């Protein structure tokens, strides 16, 4: 099966740029969208429902902000919106779906912001999710986490790592959270398959960053270690336009 994750930076704007044609052509088994910034009722009928997919929405309470959506060909065994923590429930950041042999998390992780005013909130979000995933894995379950992590893990994951040492998204404490997930039984399959590959999934809209490939890899898949033998490939579709992020695809048996 293949799973595609994509921060679309506003679904209505992305649809106007033709992203639905690319999605239809790729026909992923599951599509995880982040930063949809829309309520389902704000979309046209042909955008709210796509043939062959069950579409799950978790919009933020604040209009035009955040939001995630999971499109799936296979009806999940169960669906959970958000996490069991009220302060993380209003921003529409999490959809968890259960399939026969794994749980799938579609997540738009918080941004720590330029002034670092939300870094603590972001780290608490990471910790809360990790505790839940620890419990699932301890119970023998397998987990796939995907989405916009809003953190570049290592220097290879962003072009200008030297000048971003004090920028949220590359702070030591944020990067350490990715380390914690890897220490708790998760693997970054892209980096496992391509340990020296410099490829990015996000580019700032300023300074011709995308044209000059001055980017960040912040859109990930993390998979439970026992799923790693099933991973066939992870593809960053950096030639696909329509957002300041590009789609990333996991192919798994």
């Amino acid at each position: 099966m293949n799973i595609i994750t994509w921060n679309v930076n506003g679904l209505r704007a992305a649809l106007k740029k033709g992203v639905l044609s690319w999605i239809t052509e790729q026909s992923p088994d599951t599509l995880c969208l982040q930063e949809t910034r829309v309520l389902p009722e704000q979309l046209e009928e042909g955008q709210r429902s796509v043939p062959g997919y069950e579409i799950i929405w978790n919009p933020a309470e604040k209009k035009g902000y955040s939001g995630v959506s999971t499109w799936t060909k296979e009806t999940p065994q169960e669906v959970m919106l958000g996490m069991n923590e009220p302060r993380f429930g209003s921003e529409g950041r999490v959809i968890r779906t259960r399939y026969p042999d794994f749980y799938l998390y579609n997540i738009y992780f918080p941004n720590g912001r330029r002034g670092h005013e939300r870094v603590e909130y972001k780290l608490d979000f990471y910790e809360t999710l990790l505790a839940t995933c620890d419990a699932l894995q301890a119970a023998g379950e397998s987990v796939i986490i995907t989405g916009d992590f809003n953190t570049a893990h290592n220097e290879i994951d962003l072009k200008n790592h030297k000048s971003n040492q004090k920028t949220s998204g590359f702070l030591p404490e944020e990067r350490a959270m990715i380390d914690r997930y890897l220490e708790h039984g998760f693997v970054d399959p892209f980096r496992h398959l391509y340990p020296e590959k410099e490829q990015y999934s996000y580019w700032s809209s300023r300074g011709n960053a995308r044209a000059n490939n001055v980017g960040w890899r912040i859109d990930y898949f993390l998979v439970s270690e026992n799923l790693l033998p099933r991973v066939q490939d992870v593809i960053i579709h950096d030639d696909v336009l329509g957002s300041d992020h590009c789609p990333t695809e996991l192919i798994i048996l």
Side-chain angles (χ1 to χ4, degrees):
M1 70 178 300
N2 65 327
I3 305 169
I4 291 178
T5 184
W6 196 358
N7 178 322
V8 290
N9 191 21
L11 182 56
R12 284 174 291 181
L15 289 169
K16 290 178 182 177
K17 296 173 184 176
V19 302
L20 189 56
S21 296
W22 186 84
I23 293 168
T24 302
E25 180 181 333
Q26 296 296 310
S27 188
D29 295 296
T30 304
L31 174 69
C32 297
L33 302 180
Q34 303 88 42
E35 204 173 357
T36 52
R37 298 192 310 201
V38 69
L39 299 172
E41 55 267 30
Q42 294 176 300
L43 295 169
E44 297 175 5
E45 178 59 34
Q47 299 170 337
R48 288 198 303 272
S49 60
V50 176
Y53 286 99
E54 179 176 338
I55 301 182
I56 302 158
W57 302 92
N58 187 11
E61 291 180 4
K62 179 182 177 182
K63 288 185 177 180
Y65 180 73
S66 192
V68 290
S69 178
T70 298
W71 304 20
T72 177
K73 291 180 178 178
E74 179 180 349
T75 300
Q77 294 176 336
E78 64 180 64
V79 175
M80 186 175 83
L81 305 183
M83 295 188 287
N84 293 321
E85 175 61 55
R87 68 193 181 111
F88 298 130
S90 65
E91 296 189 353
R93 294 190 176 275
V94 180
I95 295 174
R96 186 180 83 181
T97 46
R98 183 175 186 176
Y99 297 94
D101 51 357
F102 61 84
Y103 283 88
L104 173 65
Y105 277 95
N106 172 12
I107 302 188
Y108 179 36
F109 286 83
N111 188 311
R113 296 187 180 167
R114 290 188 175 212
H116 297 184
E117 62 268 24
R118 292 202 98 196
V119 169
E120 183 176 353
Y121 178 87
K122 176 181 180 178
L123 296 177
D124 287 347
F125 184 100
Y126 269 99
E127 288 281 9
T128 300
L129 174 66
L130 182 58
T132 302
C133 291
D134 280 347
L136 288 172
Q137 293 191 128
E141 302 289 352
S142 300
V143 180
I144 299 174
I145 306 170
T146 192
D148 177 359
F149 280 66
N150 260 312
T151 300
H153 185 205
N154 291 314
E155 291 182 354
I156 194 174
D157 295 312
L158 73 163
K159 185 70 171 181
N160 291 333
H161 55 84
K162 291 182 179 179
S163 61
N164 281 292
Q165 298 292 322
K166 297 182 179 179
T167 301
S168 179
F170 198 60
L171 296 174
E173 57 267 41
E174 295 171 328
R175 298 168 61 194
M177 286 307 307
I178 306 294
D179 289 330
R180 279 177 50 75
Y181 277 73
L182 301 186
E183 292 162 1
H184 284 236
F186 283 97
V187 180
D188 173 357
F190 176 83
R191 191 54 70 207
H192 175 81
L193 292 170
Y194 306 108
E196 298 181 1
K197 192 171 187 177
E198 296 182 18
Q199 194 172 12
Y200 311 121
S201 63
Y202 161 78
W203 302 262
S204 169
S205 57
R206 300 187 300 272
N208 293 318
R210 187 154 192 173
N212 295 318
N213 200 28
V214 179
W216 300 56
R217 186 175 76 98
I218 58 177
D219 302 273
Y220 290 86
F221 286 92
L222 295 183
V223 304
S224 294
E225 288 177 350
N226 64 350
L227 292 176
L228 187 60
R230 296 170 52 186
V231 172
Q232 301 298 292
D233 204 358
V234 180
I235 304 166
I236 298 177
H237 295 276
D238 52 11
D239 59 333
V240 177
L241 304 178
S243 170
D244 52 358
H245 295 247
C246 72
T248 299
E249 180 177 6
L250 172 71
I251 303 174
I252 188 168
L253 292 175

